[in-house]
Amino acid sequence: MPVYSMTGYASAQHSTANSQPDSEVRTPPAAQLGLEIRSVNSRFLDLTFRLPEDLRQFEPSLRELIIAKLKRGKVEVRASIETANATGVTEPSPKLLQRLNSAQDSVRSWLPQATPLSVADVLRLAAAEQSGTRDWSQAVTPLAEKVLKELLAARQREGTRLSAMLSERLVQLRALAAQATPLVPQLVEQQRQRFLDRWKEAMALADGANLPEAALDRALTEATAFAIRIDVAEEITRLDSHLDEIERLLKKGGEVGKRLDFLIQELHREANTLGSKSSALELTRISVDMKVLIEQMREQVQNIE
């Protein structure tokens, strides 16, 4: 399965035409339904809908459609309806004018002081009548499926890019671990010998007598214990194990974002321990370089579904 990013954007439009423009019975004017879906990273699936009143009834079906395809991300669904004469004037039909005139007479018979309808009022009511009678039930779902398919494709393309970047960082981290591995036994032996030398120097007798055998044994024991404390072989082994698991997840694909995020935290823990136990400048440099790469990986992993 591919790796999906939580970042993506897609949009599409569906146009309708007025098949009876000259009919006495007015049909809705030509209109265009626009739908766009954008998503960014989030710990969970967070859906937000911004729909015009005419499309509010479709929110449950749109929500169900998206939940079936997306598992994580902050997703915003935005729809709009634009009529062909949105920037012009909607001419009221004779039947509408008759209804408005009758309604106005009825109202003014009870409320003589009521203000008569203006031309602007009539045009606004005419536009509302024509734009509000269209049935979008046959267009919304197919359009949403099309946009969602394009969004998934966009998220997959971004996920492929993120996967490639993470794979490059894995190679670099393995190279740094390979540099650190031969340093471990050398550093342990150096620290052991240095500790022993200092112990002998401190315990040396003023007349140059030999160090008592019991003191020498104690020095060797302390030197060995200290060498064990600075040994980072275990950290490097665990780091290699985490790198193997990250590589496996990237090849597996699917919903791996949360698991990758956990492994990145573990990588950082091992690199940090490697630096804190380091007794050599070269090993400290390796630890710092590792943490820089791991932080770059953390930023990208947070975008993976």
Side-chain angles (χ1 to χ4, degrees):
M1 293 181 64
V3 173
Y4 287 95
S5 168
M6 287 185 282
T7 303
Y9 174 84
S11 65
Q13 292 77 37
H14 173 80
S15 299
T16 60
N18 186 347
S19 59
Q20 295 177 308
D22 299 323
S23 172
E24 182 66 22
V25 179
R26 292 281 178 166
T27 58
Q32 179 172 273
L33 169 63
L35 184 66
E36 64 178 36
I37 305 178
R38 65 183 69 211
S39 66
V40 294
N41 62 312
S42 176
R43 292 183 62 190
F44 308 102
L45 182 60
D46 181 9
L47 299 179
T48 302
F49 292 87
R50 304 189 184 280
L51 308 176
E53 200 60 39
D54 292 349
L55 302 178
R56 189 71 62 185
Q57 59 181 312
F58 299 108
E59 180 175 329
S61 60
L62 290 174
R63 182 181 297 274
E64 183 179 352
L65 183 64
I66 293 173
I67 290 176
K69 297 294 184 180
L70 306 181
K71 304 306 178 184
R72 292 178 64 200
K74 182 176 178 60
V75 182
E76 180 181 358
V77 182
R78 187 183 295 268
S80 62
I81 298 175
E82 296 183 3
T83 57
N85 56 359
T87 58
V89 176
T90 301
E91 182 181 353
S93 66
K95 287 190 175 182
L96 176 61
L97 291 173
Q98 290 175 5
R99 293 201 306 271
L100 291 177
N101 186 55
S102 175
Q104 178 175 248
D105 290 343
S106 177
V107 170
R108 298 196 70 187
S109 66
W110 288 93
L111 302 172
Q113 303 302 320
T115 303
L117 286 171
S118 66
V119 173
D121 293 333
V122 174
L123 294 178
R124 177 173 52 80
L125 292 170
E129 180 195 49
Q130 292 196 0
S131 63
T133 56
R134 183 174 296 279
D135 180 13
W136 293 104
S137 59
Q138 300 300 315
V140 169
T141 300
L143 185 63
E145 291 175 344
K146 177 182 178 182
V147 176
L148 190 56
K149 182 178 180 180
E150 293 179 0
L151 177 69
L152 288 171
R155 286 167 58 125
Q156 181 179 341
R157 289 192 299 270
E158 179 66 11
T160 301
R161 187 190 68 81
L162 293 177
S163 181
M165 189 280 292
L166 291 174
S167 296
E168 292 176 2
R169 300 298 185 273
L170 289 179
V171 171
Q172 294 173 313
L173 285 171
R174 290 188 188 280
L176 289 173
Q179 294 176 27
T181 300
L183 295 176
V184 174
Q186 299 175 19
L187 294 174
V188 169
E189 181 58 32
Q190 289 174 7
Q191 285 298 321
R192 182 175 180 277
Q193 187 60 45
R194 188 180 297 118
F195 188 90
L196 185 58
D197 291 343
R198 290 178 179 176
W199 184 277
K200 288 180 178 180
E201 183 180 348
M203 295 294 293
L205 300 177
D207 58 0
N210 292 331
L211 193 66
E213 184 175 351
L216 181 60
D217 291 341
R218 175 68 180 274
L220 291 173
T221 301
E222 293 293 333
T224 301
F226 183 77
I228 292 175
R229 288 199 299 272
I230 67 167
D231 187 1
V232 294
E234 185 177 351
E235 283 73 19
I236 294 178
T237 299
R238 286 198 297 263
L239 191 142
D240 284 333
S241 176
H242 296 328
L243 294 178
D244 290 341
E245 180 64 11
I246 291 175
E247 185 174 11
R248 186 189 70 81
L249 289 174
L250 291 176
K251 291 180 179 179
K252 174 186 175 184
E255 302 167 34
V256 296
K258 290 184 178 180
R259 178 65 178 166
L260 287 173
D261 189 50
F262 170 77
L263 288 171
I264 292 298
Q265 295 179 34
E266 293 301 305
L267 277 180
H268 189 272
R269 190 194 314 276
E270 302 304 336
N272 197 51
T273 304
L274 183 69
S276 64
K277 294 176 67 173
S278 172
S279 59
L281 183 61
E282 179 63 16
L283 203 55
T284 301
R285 180 195 65 79
I286 291 175
S287 171
V288 172
D289 290 345
M290 281 183 172
K291 287 190 281 188
V292 170
L293 292 172
I294 293 169
E295 189 60 33
Q296 293 174 354
M297 295 175 69
R298 184 201 304 275
E299 295 177 359
Q300 302 303 325
V301 162
Q302 291 176 352
N303 290 320
I304 293 179
E305 186 177 50

